[in-house]
Amino acid sequence: MGNFFAKDWTGAPFELFGTAHLIALALVALVNVALLTIRKHAGETARRNIRYGLAILLVINEIAWHLWKWSIGEWTVQTMLPLHLCSVLVWLSAYMLITKNYAIYEFAYLLGIAGALQALLTPDAGIYGFPHFRFFQTMLSHGAIVTAALYMTIVEGFRPTWASVRRVLVGSYLYALHVWVINDLIGSNYLYLARKPETASLLDVLPPWPGYIPIIIALALAFILLFYLPFAIKDTRRKTQTRQQIKQIS
């Protein structure tokens, strides 16, 4: 048990797309596929219990991470403030699940899923491979962010609109601007606006700082539009069917 939380991990290091990583990704996928069954069979009470349980899981997992970082002497304002996209979405997603807040849902769905998926594919786990606490915490945190947004979409029937796209774009860019200022003031690297992360990530294939920042902005726009696309197609088809029905009646 001591090695499970150890700072100086003596077990196998994290292996990108190794067996443990692939199993964790498969489990995240299975949980989200199960949302289709919940939508068909779960009543209101069961749905509320699932939302509350997922919210509690997000919060407890995040608090455990902060406590662990503090216990090994690595908690600093430069690294542990909830300013990274996924860090802030942990708390916002928990609040969304409890209150069904639509404004938060817009960000969680259009932006949060893409960010969490990137973190699932290239986790910032450092040397901590399976079965270290950090391995479980990382996969659970980002997996739950994805599940929270998909749950509200698939089970609770939430959906983004074109106005959601505009709000998320403006809000995310304004947020990044504020984080940029904070980074400059305290010497941090939140949102990786000051430099690339030290561990492997998708940013490794992009140009050096600051060349990758405009690409990140463009990718954020692309992902937001991509996640809105299914609803845009659905709305277009509905409008087409409505026009056809009107023509038939007239």
Side-chain angles (χ1 to χ4, degrees):
M1 180 60 72
N3 202 34
F4 179 75
F5 292 104
K7 175 182 178 180
D8 299 319
W9 170 242
T10 58
F14 178 81
E15 181 183 357
L16 189 65
F17 300 123
T19 301
H21 186 198
L22 291 176
I23 291 175
L25 292 175
L27 290 174
V28 171
L30 287 174
V31 168
N32 287 288
V33 170
L35 295 178
L36 297 172
T37 301
I38 295 174
R39 180 185 65 182
K40 294 179 180 179
H41 302 292
E44 181 59 33
T45 300
R47 292 182 179 186
R48 184 180 66 249
N49 291 340
I50 292 172
R51 292 199 333 270
Y52 279 38
L54 184 54
I56 292 171
L57 178 64
L58 278 163
V59 171
I60 290 178
N61 187 63
E62 190 72 3
I63 291 174
W65 180 44
H66 282 263
L67 290 174
W68 177 70
K69 293 291 280 189
W70 175 81
S71 70
I72 64 175
E74 292 186 357
W75 197 105
T76 67
V77 295
Q78 284 77 23
T79 59
M80 294 300 294
L81 295 181
L83 294 176
H84 279 303
L85 177 62
C86 290
S87 294
V88 70
L89 276 174
V90 164
W91 301 103
L92 292 180
S93 294
Y95 182 79
M96 172 192 70
L97 288 164
I98 294 174
T99 64
K100 293 187 176 183
N101 186 288
Y102 181 76
I104 294 176
Y105 164 77
E106 294 175 321
F107 286 86
Y109 176 80
L110 290 174
L111 199 59
I113 293 177
L117 284 176
Q118 187 273 332
L120 284 169
L121 293 174
T122 57
D124 183 15
I127 64 170
Y128 303 106
F130 178 87
H132 192 273
F133 161 78
R134 177 59 174 157
F135 174 88
F136 289 102
Q137 187 276 327
T138 300
M139 302 304 296
L140 183 59
S141 176
H142 296 100
I145 290 173
V146 173
T147 300
L150 290 180
Y151 178 89
M152 297 304 295
T153 305
I154 296 172
V155 180
E156 299 295 341
F158 281 37
R159 56 149 295 174
T161 65
W162 183 244
S164 302
V165 172
R166 296 196 301 269
R167 284 191 289 267
V168 171
L169 278 174
V170 173
S172 59
Y173 292 150
L174 288 175
Y175 178 72
L177 181 60
H178 283 80
V179 172
W180 185 298
V181 174
I182 293 173
N183 284 340
D184 187 59
L185 290 175
I186 68 175
S188 55
N189 189 29
Y190 294 113
L191 298 183
Y192 303 119
L193 294 175
R195 58 188 177 277
K196 292 183 180 181
E198 296 179 359
T199 55
S201 73
L202 296 180
L203 294 182
D204 291 339
V205 302
L206 300 182
W209 184 94
Y212 65 83
I213 293 178
I215 300 177
I216 291 177
I217 294 174
L219 286 174
L221 172 60
F223 278 116
I224 288 171
L225 293 176
L226 177 64
F227 281 99
Y228 176 65
L229 182 60
F231 300 96
I233 294 174
K234 182 178 180 180
D235 291 343
T236 300
R237 289 177 176 175
R238 183 184 295 114
K239 290 178 181 178
T240 301
Q241 293 174 353
T242 301
R243 285 196 295 266
Q244 292 175 346
Q245 292 173 354
I246 293 174
K247 289 181 180 179
Q248 292 173 357
I249 294 174
S250 59

